[in-house]
Amino acid sequence: MKKMIMLSLLALTSIATQAQTQKKVEITKGPSYMMAVPEITLDKKTKKTTVQWRSTENNSWHEDIGILDNVPVIDSESIESTFLNMSPTASEPKGYTSMTWLLTDEGDNTVLHCYFRMPADIVKNFWLGNAESCILDKETGIIYQARSTVPERCYNKVFSVKGKEGTVLDLQILFPRLPETVHDMIIYGIPNWYLRGSEVKKIQRLYGTISYRESYDTIPQFHMARMVKESVNYNKDSIDSWAVYTDAHLIKPVEEQTMALWLTRDATYLAIATEQNWIREYYGRGGNTILLGKNGRQYKCKGVMGYPDNDLFWLEGYPGDYFAIVLVFEPLPLNVDTFNYVVPEGEPFNAWGANWKGEVISNLDVQQLRKNQHLFKYRPRVVVK
């Protein structure tokens, strides 16, 4: 029995350690606000100061759960490195206190850290967030709703907090983890931090050496074209033997040959924007195409998503369609900065306007291509007749 208890304690300790060391990747952060502090009262008996925080909208609709224990705080060192104006040495105008916020990725959650410097020993009538607290991805229109808070009990509740005056609280709102393609956001429903429809952007440096280099992408999901005629006795010189496809993964118009990159553990996905000029047009991709690293390392093409690899094929659509052709390569390491895209010249074939010339695009920036992922969102065709 003693052994089982000991093992359980070890397991709990391990879980706690993992939680404490969980990687935190900064997405963006807000400015610091100097908030006017309501009247501070002193309890002569306990020598404790108290503030009745100004009423937050709809507070009267929600249960007041009283004083919360174990509210997380941010240590002085972290304050110094993240928010200089909230550091213990920072000067604040009399009658004001600092509030600011930080948005991070942590495990399966995107976490909004709401920082608040205690203007007194006890703060009453405080409010953090509830189901109205959400993050809108401006590009896709997808809404990510708050799922919980830290402390958990204060979700959708009015509460009080007790601590030493001057301590900086780290109140947290947990959202589903935002995809890395989310760049421009609007945050709603956190009134005490003035996030009531506030537009925010990912900080630029996360597109470079921090966020992307530290994590893989998820496998991209593309709309697969439908094959309407199978290839029969394929012959590059016989157009009737080529397969015919329709209903491609359409995207908004971008410059032709615009690319986007997804790095996963098992493969690299390279999407290429392609313009349709005719109702039926032929294409060919893949084959001996490679990505060439700076050190001369070659990453071979493993196939083309939804289309033949190397064989020519027909695609039926509309003039003016822009669609994605996605090549799948051997996995690039996360630390690769640039690469060359190399397409060897194909064999001549018998078709009108036949052209399968070689191509080399040099010094493609990995992080920029990963930023381009949002350009390849599926966009249904609209034709006005």
Side-chain angles (χ1 to χ4, degrees), residues 6 25 37 57 74 157 183 244 262 277 334 351 373:
M6 184 63 72
V25 178
V37 177
E57 291 90 336
I74 182 171
K157 307 290 184 185
H183 296 156
V244 181
W262 287 258
N277 292 287
L334 285 175
Q373 292 173 7

Side-chain angles (χ1 to χ4, degrees), residues 226-230 244-246 280 316:
R226 178 166 48 89
M227 185 169 65
V228 294
K229 178 180 174 293
E230 191 176 356
V244 181
Y245 292 82
T246 190
R280 178 187 260 204
E316 295 179 343

Side-chain angles (χ1 to χ4, degrees), residues 150-358:
V150 178
E152 188 173 5
R153 287 181 59 215
C154 70
Y155 184 87
N156 200 38
K157 307 290 184 185
V158 178
F159 61 97
S160 303
V161 65
K162 187 176 182 180
K164 185 179 178 182
E165 182 180 345
T167 300
V168 178
L169 305 183
D170 180 10
L171 299 162
Q172 301 165 32
I173 304 176
L174 278 60
F175 299 87
R177 180 153 177 154
L178 300 178
E180 291 186 356
T181 52
V182 177
H183 296 156
D184 297 338
M185 298 159 274
I186 302 178
I187 304 180
Y188 298 89
I190 302 103
N192 270 318
W193 280 264
Y194 289 103
L195 295 170
R196 312 176 183 182
S198 304
E199 296 193 21
V200 300
K201 295 178 180 290
K202 271 188 178 178
I203 54 178
Q204 185 65 30
R205 65 192 180 90
L206 284 186
Y207 298 149
T209 59
I210 299 178
S211 173
Y212 279 130
R213 281 196 178 180
E214 293 182 350
S215 61
Y216 287 100
D217 297 309
T218 56
I219 297 174
Q221 302 299 309
F222 286 90
H223 176 80
M224 290 294 103
R226 178 166 48 89
M227 185 169 65
V228 294
K229 178 180 174 293
E230 191 176 356
S231 173
V232 178
N233 299 321
Y234 174 79
N235 182 338
K236 63 180 176 60
D237 294 317
S238 174
I239 60 176
D240 293 331
S241 71
W242 302 349
V244 181
Y245 292 82
T246 190
D247 195 16
H249 179 96
L250 300 179
I251 60 175
K252 66 182 180 181
V254 294
E255 185 177 349
E256 193 169 15
Q257 288 287 79
T258 295
M259 296 179 175
L261 196 71
W262 287 258
L263 301 185
T264 73
R265 293 183 184 278
D266 300 316
T268 295
Y269 297 83
L270 181 69
I272 304 171
T274 309
E275 181 185 13
Q276 181 99 3
N277 292 287
W278 308 97
I279 289 177
R280 178 187 260 204
E281 196 163 354
Y282 64 81
Y283 301 90
R285 290 281 187 179
N288 296 318
T289 301
I290 60 169
L291 305 182
L292 186 64
K294 275 186 176 179
N295 58 1
R297 167 76 189 274
Q298 295 184 11
Y299 301 89
K300 297 179 181 178
C301 182
K302 299 163 65 176
V304 184
M305 290 183 71
Y307 297 112
D309 180 16
N310 198 49
D311 288 357
L312 295 157
F313 62 92
W314 293 105
L315 181 65
E316 295 179 343
Y318 272 71
D321 280 350
Y322 284 76
F323 66 97
I325 290 183
V326 185
L327 278 62
V328 185
F329 293 88
E330 295 173 332
L332 283 171
L334 285 175
N335 61 0
V336 170
D337 294 318
T338 62
F339 63 87
N340 298 332
Y341 171 74
V342 182
V343 182
E345 185 173 352
E347 294 182 9
F349 57 96
N350 183 27
W352 180 82
N355 183 14
W356 198 335
K357 63 182 179 181

Side-chain angles (χ1 to χ4, degrees), residues 259 292 338-342 359-365 369:
M259 296 179 175
L292 186 64
T338 62
F339 63 87
N340 298 332
Y341 171 74
V342 182
E359 180 180 25
V360 176
I361 304 177
S362 302
N363 296 318
L364 288 166
D365 187 307
L369 294 185

